[in-house]
Amino acid sequence: MSELNTGKSDKLVINNEVFVSFLSEEVIQKRVKELAEQISEDYKGKLPIFIGVLNGAFVFMADLIKNLSINCEIDFFKLSSYGDSKISSGNVRMLKELNCDVNERDIVIVEDIVDSGLSIKYIEQIFNKFTPTSMKVCSLLMKPDSLKYNVKIDYIGFKIPTKFVIGYGLDYAQKYRNLKSIYVLSDEV
Ligand code: IMP
Ligand code: MG
């Protein structure tokens, strides 16, 4: 079955697991706008490069840059750590490298979600080899109770509990990224 009957339903049943509505499209869009306004203010007169972490960040990043009132450039990294499971493998691999020169540039890393912080830690290490003027991290979601690495997230959309979420770029076994809102795995079966 590959039909995605989302509409605006409050509940999705996927492989006998129940996901319930968590962050609505309206709530997400309002917060993305606020983040874009804050970033536009902070980078006034500058030309930052927004670097999205694929695949998850592409939906958020598209909305974020559309709401900026400053000019920007973009690029993407592709990392892999989750495979098709709901739990991080603890390993990060680089699957797509950057195509831009980050030296002497203002960099904003864009993530869908910071869980353990491993991906951000890995990205910070990559950037240690370069000399960006500045580097900040913007993540739509963050699970503060899951953090295992000492990372600083400069712009956070929403702090959420340690639960598995899908939609708005976030996947479950590569699917459901195209949901306009975010759903959380409930304890219900
Ligand atoms: P970290 O490296 O442990 O911080 O994990 C970050 C990456 O794991 C994110 O970029 C997501 O792709 C993925 N991830 C973490 N939590 C979730 C979730 O609840 N749903 C879907 N993907 C997640
Ligand atoms: Mg991801």
Side-chain angles (χ1 to χ4, degrees):
M1 270 266 273
S2 61
E3 279 117 70
L4 178 60
N5 183 13
T6 60
K8 287 222 167 188
S9 65
D10 295 337
K11 216 174 181 181
L12 289 176
V13 181
I14 301 166
N15 303 333
N16 295 324
E17 290 178 304
V18 180
F19 286 79
V20 293
S21 187
F22 182 56
L23 295 168
S24 71
E25 184 181 355
E26 292 74 21
V27 165
I28 295 168
Q29 291 301 330
K30 181 170 173 278
R31 185 68 186 123
V32 171
K33 224 170 160 189
E34 286 170 2
L35 288 173
E37 279 165 12
Q38 194 189 334
I39 292 170
S40 299
E41 189 59 36
D42 294 352
Y43 288 85
K44 215 177 247 173
K46 297 179 178 167
L47 181 63
I49 310 178
F50 287 79
I51 299 179
V53 185
L54 292 171
N55 291 328
F58 85 105
V59 177
F60 169 46
M61 185 151 125
D63 284 342
L64 184 72
I65 65 162
K66 282 187 281 181
N67 282 287
L68 293 173
S69 57
I70 53 165
N71 282 320
C72 68
E73 294 177 18
I74 64 152
D75 199 357
F76 291 95
F77 268 132
K78 183 158 179 163
L79 303 179
S80 161
S81 68
Y82 268 45
D84 278 351
S85 88
K86 287 195 291 252
I87 301 157
S88 173
S89 66
N91 296 312
V92 181
R93 282 183 304 139
M94 174 78 84
L95 300 176
K96 180 208 166 290
E97 310 253 347
L98 285 180
N99 295 114
C100 64
D101 181 0
V102 298
N103 294 317
E104 326 317 326
R105 297 296 304 268
D106 292 299
I107 304 300
V108 182
I109 302 294
V110 182
E111 260 284 26
D112 50 357
I113 187 164
V114 175
D115 187 5
S116 69
L118 177 66
S119 305
I120 294 298
K121 197 87 215 158
Y122 180 81
I123 290 166
E124 279 177 357
Q125 279 164 13
I126 294 168
F127 274 85
N128 282 342
K129 294 184 217 141
F130 302 103
T131 55
T133 305
S134 70
M135 188 184 118
K136 285 193 181 181
V137 180
C138 173
S139 184
L140 177 69
L141 305 175
M142 181 187 192
K143 297 179 186 169
D145 300 333
S146 298
L147 213 59
K148 291 198 198 111
Y149 298 85
N150 181 22
V151 289
K152 182 168 172 266
I153 313 302
D154 302 277
Y155 303 100
I156 300 170
F158 303 93
K159 289 185 178 168
I160 66 166
T162 299
K163 290 196 169 180
F164 191 72
V165 288
I166 57 168
Y168 197 69
L170 293 140
D171 72 305
Y172 179 15
Q174 297 307 325
K175 296 201 288 288
Y176 314 108
R177 296 190 195 276
N178 51 324
L179 296 169
K180 291 190 181 117
S181 59
I182 294 177
Y183 290 75
V184 65
L185 179 63
S186 85
D187 303 327
E188 198 184 323
V189 276

